[in-house]
Amino acid sequence: MTTATISRWDRFRDSFLWYSFKRDKIAIVSFLVLVLMVAAAVFAPLLAPTDPYDLAQINIMNSELPPVGMSGADAAFPLGTDAQGRDMLSTILYGTRVSLLIGFGAVVLQAVLGILFGLLAGYLGGRVDSILMRIADVQLSFSTLMVAIIVGAVFKASFGNLMFGEIAIYMLIFIIGVAEWPQIARTVRASVLAEKKKEYVDAAKVMGFGTRRIMFRHILPNTLSPIFVIATVQIANAIISEAALSFLGLGMPETQPSLGSLIKSGFDYIQSGSWWITLIPGLVLVVLVLVINLLGDWLRDVMNPRLYKG
Amino acid sequence: MLAFLVQRISQAILVMFVISVIAFAIQDGLGDPLQQMVGMSVSEEEREAIRDEMGLNDPLVVQYLRFAGNAVQGDLGISYFYGKPTLDVILEHLPATLELAIGASLIILFFSVPIGVYAAIRPQALLSKFFMGVSTVGISIPVFLTAIVLIQLFSIGVTVDLFPADTGWGQNLNSALSTEGGLPSYGRGDELTHLFGTWHSGFFSQGGLLHLILPAISLASIMLPLFIRLIRAEMMEVLQSDYVRYARAKGLQPGRINFLHALKNTMLPVITVGGVQIGTMVAYTILTETVFQWPGVGLMFLEAITRSDIPLIVAYLMVVGLIFVITNTIVDLIYGLVNPTVKLTGKKA
C-alpha cells in the first residue's frame, strides 16, 4: 500500500501541474495566502481572542476603538472594535469562515446541478439539450447576481427576518448555487460534446454499457479538468455574491456575520470616522477573492484552456 | 431572416410569460390583499363575500389571466407603501437609475476603448501590463466596496500623518497622500431640472453632476475591467487578420489601420456582449444605489423588500424582466442582422 502512495506522489512531482506551479511566482504566493486564510478561518475558534457570538464577552464600552497604531487604540484589540464592542480580529476570522463555507457549499451545489444537467444536455442531445440550454441562456441573460437578489428577496419576504436569519447559511448556499449552475453546466456540456465523439465511448456502447454508466463512469472523469478550473473561479464569484447579498441585507444577519455583513454594518459608521469597521473586512474579502481568481487564471492556463473559454 | 425574427420574438414572449407566472406566484403566495384592506372586526362571512367579489376564490388560472390582462394594460396593482399605482412609482424612480447608468456607460466607453486598443497594439508594454494587472484586481473588488472606498477618499477625506510632519519631505508626503473630500455621497441633490413627465434630470446643473460623480465611477469600475479585456482580446484577433496585414503592407498609417479599419470590426462583438451585460448592470445599480442612497428603482426595490411591499416587488420584477427581454431580443436581432453566419435555429455554435 505504501508503494502505491509513494508512486502517486512521484507521479504528482513529475506532473506538468507541479512543474508549472513551481515556475509561477504569482501562483505560489496566491496559493500560500489562500492556505493561510483557509487555515485561519478553519481554526478561528482556536485563534480568535474572543468569541464574537458570545454576548457575555462583549463590552459595549469598548465600541469603535481604532486599530493598533492609531491614537486611542487598545492593545487587546489589534484591529480595533466594531460599534458593538466586538473585537474586529475575531469577527473577521469568524466572518471569513462563514464566507468560505457559503462559497464552498454553493459551488458544491452548483457542481452537482451543473454536472448533472450538463451531462444530460451534452450526452442525450436533442430536445433535452435545447430545453436545458435555453433555460441556462435565459437565466444567464438575467445575470446570476440579479437572479440571486430576486430569489433572496422572495425568500426573505416569505420567511420573515427572524426565520431567515436562523437558516441564512443554507438559504445563501441554495440561492447562489441555483443562480449560478448554468456556468458549470455549459462548460460540462461543451466538454461532453467533444468527448462523446471519441472512440472509447463507441467502444463502451458496443460493449453494451448503459447510458448512465457511460455518462458518469466514462465521460465524466474526462471532463473533470475544465470543471475544476471553472469551479475555482466560481468559488470567488460565490463569495462576492454572498457579500453582495449580505450587504443588501438579504444575507447573513449581524449576529452571525460574514465578511459582507461586516462591511454592511461598518458602513453605517463610516461617516463618523470609524473607517476600520468596514474597510478591514473589505480588504480581507478583496484579498481572498483575488488570490482565488489568480489561482483560477493559472489553472486555466495550465489545464486545457480552450474548453473553458468556449 | 423572417424565421429568425419570429423565433426570437416568440422566445421573448415565452420568457415574459414565465416571468409573469413567477411574479403571479409571488403575489399569490405572499400577499393577502384582504388582510391589508379590512380590520380585525370584519366577520368571516363578510370576508368570504369580499373574497368572492374580488375574485380571490376563482380558480388560479382565471386569477392569473386577470393578473396578466391587467399587466398588459399597464395595471400592476397599488403599492402598499406609496398608495399609488406601482407603475407610477417605478416611472418616478426610473430616470434616476437611467441617468446613473448613462453616466457609468459614458465612463466605460471613454476609458475602455483607448486602454483596450492600446493593450492590444502593445501587449508587451509596461503600461499595458499595468492596465491588465489593475483590471484583474478590479474584477475581484465588489462594487459596494469600491463605492465605500470612494466615499472615504473623496467625500469624507483622508488625513495621513504617517510621516514626520516636522521635516519638509514628510509634510509633502503627508499632504500628497491626504485627500480633500467634500464630494457629495448622498442622493441626487436638489438642483434637478424638470425635463418632461416624471423625468427630473441632474445633468444640467453643477450640483446634479457633482452628485453623479461618485456613484457613476463606482458603477463603471466593476464593468470597466471586463470591457477592457474584451476589447483587447477582440482587437488582438482582428489585428491578426489578413486585411489588416494587407493594409500594413500597403503602407497605410498605423493610426488609420488601428482606429479606422481594425476598431470597426472590434466594436461589433463588444456592442453585443455589452448589450447582454445590461442585466448585470441592473443588478449592480441596486448595490450602487444602496451605498449612495441614490433614489432610483434599485433602492426602491430594496426598500420594498424591507417594507414587504409585495405589489411593488412584483411590479419591479415585471418591469425589469421586460427591459431584459427587450434588450436581449434587440441585441440578438442586431447580431443576426450584421452577422448572417448566425444559424437561423439560434443555437450557438
Side-chain angles (χ1 to χ4, degrees):
Chain A
M1 202 57 223
T2 40
T3 49
T5 49
I6 287 169
S7 72
R8 194 165 288 173
W9 170 242
D10 281 340
R11 256 175 64 191
F12 174 68
R13 274 206 335 195
D14 286 339
S15 69
F16 179 60
L17 195 73
W18 178 243
Y19 174 84
S20 52
F21 181 73
K22 276 190 302 188
R23 266 156 193 77
D24 196 328
K25 285 196 196 90
I26 293 178
I28 295 175
V29 172
S30 308
F31 185 73
L32 288 180
V33 173
L34 182 63
V35 167
L36 206 70
M37 292 180 95
V38 172
V42 171
F43 298 112
L46 300 174
L47 293 171
T50 57
D51 180 358
Y53 300 159
D54 184 4
L55 291 174
Q57 291 184 24
I58 301 168
N59 188 348
I60 191 75
M61 294 304 287
N62 289 332
S63 67
E64 293 192 55
L65 291 174
V68 166
M70 288 173 66
S71 56
D74 186 332
F77 307 106
L79 297 180
T81 57
D82 70 2
Q84 299 168 37
R86 291 187 293 196
D87 173 36
M88 285 304 294
L89 179 63
S90 310
T91 47
I92 288 174
L93 283 172
Y94 276 83
T96 314
R97 196 177 151 96
V98 173
S99 286
L100 275 170
L101 187 70
I102 293 174
F104 196 72
V107 171
V108 169
L109 181 60
Q110 279 174 45
V112 170
L113 291 173
I115 289 173
L116 185 68
F117 292 145
L119 268 177
L120 285 175
Y123 191 70
L124 298 181
R127 191 159 289 168
V128 179
D129 183 30
S130 55
I131 290 175
L132 282 176
M133 284 304 114
R134 235 346 69 107
I135 295 174
D137 276 354
V138 170
Q139 211 182 315
L140 279 182
S141 75
F142 275 73
S143 106
T144 49
L145 185 59
M146 195 69 214
V147 174
I149 289 174
I150 289 171
V151 178
V154 171
F155 277 179
K156 183 147 189 175
S158 46
F159 286 112
N161 263 340
L162 208 64
M163 176 88 172
F164 188 86
E166 278 171 19
I167 50 170
I169 288 191
Y170 307 105
M171 283 286 122
L172 285 169
I173 290 178
F174 177 77
I175 292 168
I176 299 168
V178 169
E180 304 228 0
W181 72 267
Q183 308 270 15
I184 293 186
R186 279 185 154 189
T187 314
V188 175
R189 175 178 174 270
S191 5
V192 170
L193 286 180
E195 290 295 323
K196 198 166 83 168
K197 296 186 192 106
K198 294 195 177 160
E199 281 175 346
Y200 74 91
V201 178
D202 289 337
K205 270 186 202 156
V206 171
M207 274 189 263
F209 288 151
T211 311
R212 203 182 304 165
R213 182 172 172 143
I214 297 176
M215 279 197 319
F216 288 97
R217 299 270 301 271
H218 296 253
I219 294 183
L220 182 59
N222 285 309
T223 58
L224 281 181
S225 62
I227 296 177
F228 200 59
V229 174
I230 199 167
T232 314
V233 181
Q234 286 296 95
I235 292 181
N237 283 344
I239 291 175
I240 286 195
S241 297
E242 186 279 327
L245 287 171
S246 292
F247 186 79
L248 290 175
L250 301 172
M252 298 302 295
E254 271 188 49
T255 48
Q256 206 189 340
S258 67
L259 289 174
S261 33
L262 282 176
I263 297 169
K264 173 195 161 64
S265 55
F267 178 59
D268 298 338
Y269 298 91
I270 194 172
Q271 296 287 353
S272 63
S274 310
W275 53 267
W276 59 90
I277 308 179
T278 187
L279 288 185
I280 295 179
L283 186 68
V284 174
L285 178 73
V286 171
V287 171
L288 182 63
V289 171
L290 182 64
V291 293
I292 298 178
N293 272 336
L294 288 174
L295 274 177
D297 278 355
W298 167 76
L299 264 181
R300 187 193 55 204
D301 291 342
V302 174
M303 293 178 172
N304 192 350
R306 284 211 156 261
L307 294 171
Y308 174 72
K309 281 174 184 161
Chain B
M1 192 59 216
L2 191 68
F4 186 63
L5 192 80
V6 169
Q7 191 235 340
R8 284 290 126 147
I9 288 176
S10 58
Q11 191 192 329
I13 292 171
L14 186 71
V15 172
M16 221 35 233
F17 168 72
V18 173
I19 293 172
S20 71
V21 170
I22 294 172
F24 173 72
I26 293 169
Q27 190 175 45
D28 194 59
L30 294 185
D32 184 3
L34 210 63
Q35 218 170 5
Q36 306 281 338
M37 285 169 56
V38 300
M40 296 287 283
S41 57
V42 180
S43 73
E44 195 52 47
E45 289 85 50
E46 281 174 273
R47 282 170 191 266
E48 218 30 59
I50 302 173
R51 266 176 211 279
D52 269 336
E53 197 178 313
M54 289 176 65
L56 291 175
N57 287 336
D58 292 345
L60 274 182
V61 179
V62 178
Q63 287 194 48
Y64 170 75
L65 287 178
R66 195 180 307 130
F67 169 80
N70 286 341
V72 169
Q73 291 167 31
D75 175 10
L76 288 165
I78 309 277
S79 159
Y80 294 156
F81 178 78
Y82 293 92
K84 284 192 287 191
T86 47
L87 206 60
D88 292 358
V89 178
I90 290 176
L91 286 179
E92 271 167 33
H93 288 87
L94 203 56
T97 302
L98 282 178
E99 289 194 354
L100 176 60
I102 292 170
S105 308
L106 288 178
I107 295 175
I108 293 172
L109 198 68
F110 278 121
F111 284 92
S112 66
V113 174
I115 293 177
V117 169
Y118 177 78
I121 298 174
R122 301 200 199 298
Q124 297 303 324
L126 217 59
L127 198 59
S128 307
K129 287 188 172 157
F130 170 75
F131 281 134
M132 295 324 284
V134 169
S135 77
T136 309
V137 178
I139 285 182
S140 305
I141 304 179
V143 60
F144 54 93
L145 211 57
T146 319
I148 292 173
V149 172
L150 285 177
I151 289 179
Q152 178 71 47
L153 287 179
F154 301 110
S155 179
I156 299 171
V158 179
T159 323
V160 174
D161 48 7
L162 277 174
F163 304 100
D166 44 354
T167 58
W169 60 270
Q171 206 156 21
N172 283 343
L173 267 179
N174 278 344
S175 58
L177 289 174
S178 299
T179 51
E180 188 82 14
L183 272 179
S185 69
Y186 184 90
R188 300 175 76 194
D190 41 18
E191 299 174 42
L192 298 177
T193 324
H194 183 244
L195 285 186
F196 57 86
T198 58
W199 194 303
H200 296 268
S201 175
F203 280 152
F204 302 100
S205 64
Q206 198 195 354
L209 284 173
L210 278 179
H211 278 83
L212 187 63
I213 293 176
L214 290 184
I217 292 178
S218 308
L219 185 56
S221 74
I222 195 75
M223 318 280 286
L224 199 53
L226 187 94
F227 278 87
I228 291 178
R229 280 159 168 255
L230 187 68
I231 291 176
R232 174 176 171 270
E234 292 294 339
M235 184 81 179
M236 283 177 104
E237 206 163 294
V238 171
L239 286 180
Q240 298 295 320
S241 60
D242 287 342
Y243 79 92
V244 170
R245 278 152 68 185
Y246 174 67
R248 280 209 195 105
K250 214 170 96 177
L252 290 185
Q253 292 286 323
R256 198 178 154 82
I257 301 174
N258 290 332
F259 285 94
L260 200 79
H261 296 272
L263 190 61
K264 228 191 260 172
N265 278 316
T266 304
M267 289 320 278
L268 177 64
V270 172
I271 287 167
T272 47
V273 172
V276 176
Q277 287 299 321
I278 288 174
T280 324
M281 189 111 152
V282 173
Y284 287 132
T285 53
I286 300 181
L287 285 161
T288 317
E289 287 176 9
T290 311
V291 177
F292 292 101
Q293 294 293 303
W294 188 262
V297 277
L299 186 63
M300 178 212 77
F301 175 59
L302 213 64
E303 283 173 345
I305 295 168
T306 5
R307 290 170 186 145
S308 295
D309 195 341
I310 312 280
L312 197 54
I313 297 177
V314 169
Y316 175 84
L317 219 71
M318 296 282 283
V319 171
V320 167
L322 188 67
I323 293 173
F324 280 4
V325 168
I326 290 176
T327 46
N328 276 319
T329 311
I330 291 176
V331 166
D332 270 1
L333 290 178
I334 291 176
Y335 201 71
L337 264 180
V338 292
N339 186 2
T341 52
V342 172
K343 280 186 196 155
L344 289 187
T345 50
K347 272 184 194 157
K348 279 176 188 144

